[in-house]
Amino acid sequence: MIDDHGSEVSGGTDGGAGSARPADAGSRSAFWEGVHHGKDVDGVSWWQSVPGLSLGLVDSTGLGREEPIIDVGAGWSTLVDHLVERGHRDLTAVDLSVTALRTVRERLGDAGEGVTLTPADVLDLHLGRDYALWHDRAVYHFLTEPGERDDYRASLERHLRPDGRLVVATFGPDGPTTCSGLPIVRYTHAELAAEFPGFELVDTAGEEHRTPWGAAQQFTAVLMRRRAG
Ligand SMILES: C[S@@+](CC[C@H](N)C(=O)[O-])C[C@H]1O[C@@H](n2cnc3c(N)ncnc32)[C@H](O)[C@@H]1O
């Protein structure tokens, strides 16, 4: 659990005012803390009370309730809440924003006993344990530099079991070109799957997400399985 010390454009579009791109760990952390600080949960475009696309793919894996699951760049997503409700007992949510994680902790209350909330950078993640499923909605698409994507894959490989599952969702080819004022990379299913060469594609899905202010955003998602060995 996190301890106690520990932009989005509300009402507008995802275009933002063109924030300077945070390229190092310190500025990334400050940027994302600023995005969450002082906002209500539905003050960010990606908010959804039921993360249907993610839940559908996670449920389809049939993972046992004791199998460990990690949600990276979890923000204040309700994914962990829904997984707790389904009986999952070993859940970790990682995010750069302490404010976002604190919101999750307060929302979960006693139900959050089996949920570890960890402020950390997914580009340099060292949790010292591994997971049966890695979930990411709307983080990978911020990685516009090849080196960042290499760092992400290194974190993924350090934390996912052989044969582990990967669920990644990004903006689709007809989705917005920016998010929180930052440039993003849009992916087709095939392009997204090709980003993870050590994995085989199991399933694809997509959704037209409605932001809290009614704008449509196309999401692409893949479920992949790590090739053992
Ligand atoms: C677009 S939001 C998506 C949040 C959540 N996955 C959801 O679907 O509601 C991106 C989230 O990733 C976090 N984030 C961005 N870069 C990160 C990084 N390098 N490491 C960890 N978290 C990061 C942000 O703080 C933010 O909460």
Side-chain angles (χ1 to χ4, degrees), residues 5-197:
H5 44 272
S7 65
E8 183 57 18
V9 188
S10 58
T13 69
D14 260 342
S19 316
R21 192 172 171 280
D24 60 75
S27 54
R28 264 198 300 278
S29 191
F31 176 84
W32 286 107
E33 185 54 30
V35 165
H36 291 93
H37 190 75
K39 288 213 179 68
D40 294 328
V41 288
D42 60 359
V44 295
S45 65
W46 49 88
W47 168 253
Q48 43 183 189
S49 53
V50 181
L53 180 64
S54 300
L55 283 169
L57 290 172
V58 174
D59 286 346
S60 76
T61 64
L63 274 188
R65 299 307 190 237
E66 72 293 344
E67 299 276 20
I69 296 176
I70 184 168
D71 185 14
V72 298
W76 47 44
S77 164
T78 59
L79 181 66
V80 289
D81 309 48
H82 288 276
L83 293 176
V84 166
E85 263 177 39
R86 283 159 164 72
H88 288 280
R89 294 190 288 274
D90 187 351
L91 301 168
T92 299
V94 167
D95 203 277
L96 280 172
S97 167
V98 171
T99 294
L101 295 177
R102 185 177 291 130
T103 300
V104 175
R105 186 184 61 184
E106 287 168 2
R107 192 176 65 213
L108 283 170
D110 293 343
E113 207 176 305
V115 182
T116 302
L117 303 170
T118 304
D121 192 330
V122 71
L123 302 189
D124 188 25
L125 197 62
H126 299 267
L127 299 181
R129 60 168 302 194
D130 60 10
Y131 292 87
L133 188 148
W134 172 288
H135 173 269
D136 165 349
R137 173 177 180 265
V139 183
Y140 193 77
H141 66 196
F142 287 107
L143 309 181
T144 56
E145 300 301 315
E148 293 173 339
R149 296 195 289 273
D150 287 344
D151 290 343
Y152 180 103
R153 282 185 288 260
S155 290
L156 168 65
E157 284 162 20
R158 270 196 300 279
H159 292 87
L160 197 65
R161 294 178 177 171
D163 204 33
R165 318 297 165 87
L166 168 66
V167 173
V168 184
T170 64
F171 282 162
D174 297 322
T177 54
T178 61
C179 186
S180 273
L182 300 177
I184 57 92
V185 183
R186 299 181 293 180
Y187 292 93
T188 63
H189 289 124
E191 288 165 347
L192 190 52
E195 290 292 304
F196 303 97

